[in-house]
Amino acid sequence: GAGHAPGPGGTLGVQVTGEGGVPASGVGAVVVNVTITDPTTAGYISVFPEGVARPVVSTLDFSPGESRANLAEVAVGDNGQIAVYNSAGTTQVVVDVEGWYDSSAPTSGAGLYHAMAPQRLVDTRAGAGTPYSGQMLEAGHSLTVQVAGVDGVPSSGAEAAVFNVTVVDSTAPSVLAVYPTGTSAPTASTINFSTGQIIANQDAVELGSGGKVTIYNFGPGATDVILDVAGWYTDGSAGASSGASFNVLIPTRVVDTRAGSGRPDAGDTLAADETFHSQFSGLNGIPSGSASGVVLNVTVTDTTANGYLAVFPDGQPLPATSEMDWALRGQTTENAVVVGLSGAGEADFSNQSLGRTDLIIDLSGWFGAE
């Protein structure tokens, strides 16, 4: 893709099957981290299967000159490709692959998902109260995190896990990578951030030696890191071969609280400390009573005060975790969210802010019954 930055209204076709460890056939969907850098103007990108009509969704919103990343779980389209659409200006695009789903949707073996109520594994900020508190990540340094056997992830049988990674209090622009412990730091990145920025990105990471992952800070600045876990994938071993298979969808906008959006929830702007309940079972082809979790792209916009958004299964208490943080009035920010559902197929979106915010939710897939 070198030299093929998509211009305004342009679409970049990205070959994913047969590349980067993804098989040439039998692949239904891929998990990719998409980074934009050097955009010439404000805009957004949408990631979707090659060969289908471009859906009215956004994967990543950006401002001129910034570098941002977001995870996408997307169906493989024509010729084993995915498409990246750019709304305005010109932007460079980086696509890193993290995994793939079998097109046969197996019901036993490896790669089946277990959703969890989100749990905080790591918070390096001083006084945070986690085992990693006070271990700010310096430039060129890494932090090894025990995942297996902690906060609901089993001590054996977990092949990979889904995390939300947040950086805060960074002293200079930098890049983080999260990868299996015992392997070399990849050339791929998880988060790009600027000085003092609070920014999050979802990540699906294979567990390495001892059931651990490593967080590496390429530098040049130091940063605090927060790591929340949302679920885990089976490795197919005895006792870890059952779970939920993934069902990919064409990305579809299912919630937009902005006035005039045309959605049933238009005008339902979230007030301070308000929780929005969303029903997913029975929606967009998801069978009623058959979904244990969903894959979303969640955007907050028109914020009036700083805050954060927590997403969790309906009926659970508000967790001590976040999916995204914002610090500016009027900010638009988004993140991929993999969240478990209640028995009735619902999830909650809680605005932990002193101000109002609008909420946009794009649905890209669901996990069946465990």
Side-chain angles (χ1 to χ4, degrees), residues 31 35 65 82 90 109 138 140 163 188 192 209 261 263 284 301 324 340 352:
V31 182
T35 304
I82 60 174
T90 298
E138 301 290 338
F163 304 100
N192 300 64
S209 300
S261 70
R263 301 291 315 168
N284 203 39
T301 189
M324 65 190 79
Q352 294 298 297

PDB file of all heavy atoms in Angstrom, residues 31 35 65 82 90 109 138 140 163 188 192 209 261 263 284 301 324 340 352:
ATOM      1  N   VAL A  31      -9.348  -9.293  12.579  1.00  0.00           N
ATOM      2  CA  VAL A  31      -9.226  -8.276  13.619  1.00  0.00           C
ATOM      3  C   VAL A  31      -8.011  -7.427  13.257  1.00  0.00           C
ATOM      4  O   VAL A  31      -6.894  -7.941  13.182  1.00  0.00           O
ATOM      5  CB  VAL A  31      -9.044  -8.911  15.003  1.00  0.00           C
ATOM      6  CG1 VAL A  31      -8.958  -7.833  16.079  1.00  0.00           C
ATOM      7  CG2 VAL A  31     -10.193  -9.867  15.307  1.00  0.00           C
ATOM      8  N   THR A  35      -4.559   2.601  11.912  1.00  0.00           N
ATOM      9  CA  THR A  35      -3.989   3.870  12.347  1.00  0.00           C
ATOM     10  C   THR A  35      -3.989   4.846  11.183  1.00  0.00           C
ATOM     11  O   THR A  35      -3.638   4.484  10.064  1.00  0.00           O
ATOM     12  CB  THR A  35      -2.545   3.690  12.846  1.00  0.00           C
ATOM     13  OG1 THR A  35      -2.521   2.714  13.896  1.00  0.00           O
ATOM     14  CG2 THR A  35      -1.968   4.990  13.366  1.00  0.00           C
ATOM     15  N   GLY A  65      -3.333  16.600  10.997  1.00  0.00           N
ATOM     16  CA  GLY A  65      -2.005  16.387  11.527  1.00  0.00           C
ATOM     17  C   GLY A  65      -1.873  15.370  12.635  1.00  0.00           C
ATOM     18  O   GLY A  65      -0.755  15.063  13.055  1.00  0.00           O
ATOM     19  N   ILE A  82     -10.309  -6.030   2.602  1.00  0.00           N
ATOM     20  CA  ILE A  82     -11.164  -5.079   3.292  1.00  0.00           C
ATOM     21  C   ILE A  82     -10.942  -3.711   2.663  1.00  0.00           C
ATOM     22  O   ILE A  82      -9.923  -3.478   1.989  1.00  0.00           O
ATOM     23  CB  ILE A  82     -10.891  -5.029   4.807  1.00  0.00           C
ATOM     24  CG1 ILE A  82      -9.442  -4.609   5.095  1.00  0.00           C
ATOM     25  CG2 ILE A  82     -11.199  -6.368   5.448  1.00  0.00           C
ATOM     26  CD1 ILE A  82      -9.141  -4.399   6.584  1.00  0.00           C
ATOM     27  N   THR A  90      -6.441  14.117   2.531  1.00  0.00           N
ATOM     28  CA  THR A  90      -5.610  12.934   2.289  1.00  0.00           C
ATOM     29  C   THR A  90      -5.020  12.483   3.618  1.00  0.00           C
ATOM     30  O   THR A  90      -4.608  13.319   4.427  1.00  0.00           O
ATOM     31  CB  THR A  90      -4.474  13.252   1.304  1.00  0.00           C
ATOM     32  OG1 THR A  90      -5.027  13.646   0.053  1.00  0.00           O
ATOM     33  CG2 THR A  90      -3.586  12.033   1.080  1.00  0.00           C
ATOM     34  N   GLY A 109     -13.498 -26.096  20.230  1.00  0.00           N
ATOM     35  CA  GLY A 109     -12.090 -25.973  19.877  1.00  0.00           C
ATOM     36  C   GLY A 109     -11.511 -24.646  20.315  1.00  0.00           C
ATOM     37  O   GLY A 109     -11.958 -24.030  21.284  1.00  0.00           O
ATOM     38  N   GLU A 138       8.446   4.213  31.392  1.00  0.00           N
ATOM     39  CA  GLU A 138       9.430   5.123  30.811  1.00  0.00           C
ATOM     40  C   GLU A 138       9.710   4.758  29.348  1.00  0.00           C
ATOM     41  O   GLU A 138       9.431   3.650  28.900  1.00  0.00           O
ATOM     42  CB  GLU A 138      10.733   5.065  31.614  1.00  0.00           C
ATOM     43  CG  GLU A 138      10.592   5.437  33.072  1.00  0.00           C
ATOM     44  CD  GLU A 138      10.296   6.915  33.284  1.00  0.00           C
ATOM     45  OE1 GLU A 138      10.611   7.722  32.376  1.00  0.00           O
ATOM     46  OE2 GLU A 138       9.751   7.253  34.348  1.00  0.00           O
ATOM     47  N   GLY A 140      11.312   3.385  26.170  1.00  0.00           N
ATOM     48  CA  GLY A 140      12.180   2.242  25.953  1.00  0.00           C
ATOM     49  C   GLY A 140      12.031   1.147  26.983  1.00  0.00           C
ATOM     50  O   GLY A 140      12.800   0.184  26.983  1.00  0.00           O
ATOM     51  N   PHE A 163      -8.601  -6.529  25.462  1.00  0.00           N
ATOM     52  CA  PHE A 163      -8.252  -5.495  26.434  1.00  0.00           C
ATOM     53  C   PHE A 163      -8.701  -4.129  25.937  1.00  0.00           C
ATOM     54  O   PHE A 163      -8.807  -3.898  24.731  1.00  0.00           O
ATOM     55  CB  PHE A 163      -6.730  -5.441  26.650  1.00  0.00           C
ATOM     56  CG  PHE A 163      -6.105  -6.729  27.079  1.00  0.00           C
ATOM     57  CD1 PHE A 163      -5.448  -7.536  26.167  1.00  0.00           C
ATOM     58  CD2 PHE A 163      -6.178  -7.137  28.406  1.00  0.00           C
ATOM     59  CE1 PHE A 163      -4.862  -8.721  26.549  1.00  0.00           C
ATOM     60  CE2 PHE A 163      -5.592  -8.333  28.800  1.00  0.00           C
ATOM     61  CZ  PHE A 163      -4.928  -9.126  27.875  1.00  0.00           C
ATOM     62  N   ALA A 188       4.287  -3.323  14.749  1.00  0.00           N
ATOM     63  CA  ALA A 188       2.924  -2.805  14.836  1.00  0.00           C
ATOM     64  C   ALA A 188       2.747  -2.015  16.129  1.00  0.00           C
ATOM     65  O   ALA A 188       3.424  -2.249  17.124  1.00  0.00           O
ATOM     66  CB  ALA A 188       1.922  -3.960  14.787  1.00  0.00           C
ATOM     67  N   ASN A 192      -1.059   5.480  19.430  1.00  0.00           N
ATOM     68  CA  ASN A 192      -0.215   6.648  19.205  1.00  0.00           C
ATOM     69  C   ASN A 192      -0.804   7.787  20.029  1.00  0.00           C
ATOM     70  O   ASN A 192      -2.015   7.990  20.033  1.00  0.00           O
ATOM     71  CB  ASN A 192      -0.209   7.049  17.729  1.00  0.00           C
ATOM     72  CG  ASN A 192       0.312   5.943  16.828  1.00  0.00           C
ATOM     73  OD1 ASN A 192      -0.298   4.879  16.734  1.00  0.00           O
ATOM     74  ND2 ASN A 192       1.404   6.190  16.157  1.00  0.00           N
ATOM     75  N   SER A 209       4.224 -16.230  27.333  1.00  0.00           N
ATOM     76  CA  SER A 209       4.809 -17.090  28.375  1.00  0.00           C
ATOM     77  C   SER A 209       4.148 -16.844  29.715  1.00  0.00           C
ATOM     78  O   SER A 209       4.015 -15.703  30.169  1.00  0.00           O
ATOM     79  CB  SER A 209       6.308 -16.804  28.499  1.00  0.00           C
ATOM     80  OG  SER A 209       6.972 -17.051  27.279  1.00  0.00           O
ATOM     81  N   SER A 261     -30.895  12.922  13.776  1.00  0.00           N
ATOM     82  CA  SER A 261     -30.132  11.821  13.194  1.00  0.00           C
ATOM     83  C   SER A 261     -31.003  10.864  12.388  1.00  0.00           C
ATOM     84  O   SER A 261     -30.495  10.086  11.584  1.00  0.00           O
ATOM     85  CB  SER A 261     -29.404  11.035  14.296  1.00  0.00           C
ATOM     86  OG  SER A 261     -30.342  10.293  15.090  1.00  0.00           O
ATOM     87  N   ARG A 263     -32.625   8.412  13.746  1.00  0.00           N
ATOM     88  CA  ARG A 263     -32.736   7.187  14.517  1.00  0.00           C
ATOM     89  C   ARG A 263     -33.885   7.303  15.521  1.00  0.00           C
ATOM     90  O   ARG A 263     -34.279   8.410  15.897  1.00  0.00           O
ATOM     91  CB  ARG A 263     -31.444   6.912  15.284  1.00  0.00           C
ATOM     92  CG  ARG A 263     -30.193   6.768  14.444  1.00  0.00           C
ATOM     93  CD  ARG A 263     -30.190   5.516  13.621  1.00  0.00           C
ATOM     94  NE  ARG A 263     -30.619   4.354  14.366  1.00  0.00           N
ATOM     95  CZ  ARG A 263     -30.918   3.185  13.816  1.00  0.00           C
ATOM     96  NH1 ARG A 263     -30.842   3.050  12.509  1.00  0.00           N
ATOM     97  NH2 ARG A 263     -31.291   2.171  14.557  1.00  0.00           N
ATOM     98  N   ASN A 284     -30.936  -6.293  13.931  1.00  0.00           N
ATOM     99  CA  ASN A 284     -30.066  -6.444  12.763  1.00  0.00           C
ATOM    100  C   ASN A 284     -29.677  -7.899  12.491  1.00  0.00           C
ATOM    101  O   ASN A 284     -28.553  -8.208  12.119  1.00  0.00           O
ATOM    102  CB  ASN A 284     -28.799  -5.597  12.947  1.00  0.00           C
ATOM    103  CG  ASN A 284     -28.131  -5.256  11.618  1.00  0.00           C
ATOM    104  OD1 ASN A 284     -28.812  -4.974  10.649  1.00  0.00           O
ATOM    105  ND2 ASN A 284     -26.808  -5.303  11.583  1.00  0.00           N
ATOM    106  N   THR A 301     -19.757  12.421  21.070  1.00  0.00           N
ATOM    107  CA  THR A 301     -19.556  13.679  20.356  1.00  0.00           C
ATOM    108  C   THR A 301     -20.379  14.774  21.023  1.00  0.00           C
ATOM    109  O   THR A 301     -21.297  14.493  21.802  1.00  0.00           O
ATOM    110  CB  THR A 301     -19.933  13.532  18.868  1.00  0.00           C
ATOM    111  OG1 THR A 301     -19.531  14.697  18.146  1.00  0.00           O
ATOM    112  CG2 THR A 301     -21.419  13.282  18.677  1.00  0.00           C
ATOM    113  N   MET A 324     -13.572   4.889  26.953  1.00  0.00           N
ATOM    114  CA  MET A 324     -12.925   6.061  26.360  1.00  0.00           C
ATOM    115  C   MET A 324     -13.036   7.219  27.326  1.00  0.00           C
ATOM    116  O   MET A 324     -13.947   7.284  28.145  1.00  0.00           O
ATOM    117  CB  MET A 324     -13.544   6.417  25.010  1.00  0.00           C
ATOM    118  CG  MET A 324     -14.980   6.862  25.089  1.00  0.00           C
ATOM    119  SD  MET A 324     -15.741   6.998  23.460  1.00  0.00           S
ATOM    120  CE  MET A 324     -16.090   5.283  23.108  1.00  0.00           C
ATOM    121  N   GLY A 340     -20.005  -7.942  26.776  1.00  0.00           N
ATOM    122  CA  GLY A 340     -20.972  -8.992  27.041  1.00  0.00           C
ATOM    123  C   GLY A 340     -22.370  -8.419  27.199  1.00  0.00           C
ATOM    124  O   GLY A 340     -22.550  -7.231  27.504  1.00  0.00           O
ATOM    125  N   GLN A 352     -20.054   9.051  32.445  1.00  0.00           N
ATOM    126  CA  GLN A 352     -19.454   9.465  33.713  1.00  0.00           C
ATOM    127  C   GLN A 352     -18.793  10.827  33.522  1.00  0.00           C
ATOM    128  O   GLN A 352     -17.584  10.963  33.395  1.00  0.00           O
ATOM    129  CB  GLN A 352     -18.472   8.413  34.188  1.00  0.00           C
ATOM    130  CG  GLN A 352     -19.124   7.097  34.562  1.00  0.00           C
ATOM    131  CD  GLN A 352     -20.092   7.270  35.721  1.00  0.00           C
ATOM    132  OE1 GLN A 352     -19.706   7.647  36.831  1.00  0.00           O
ATOM    133  NE2 GLN A 352     -21.365   6.991  35.475  1.00  0.00           N
TER     134      GLN A 352
END
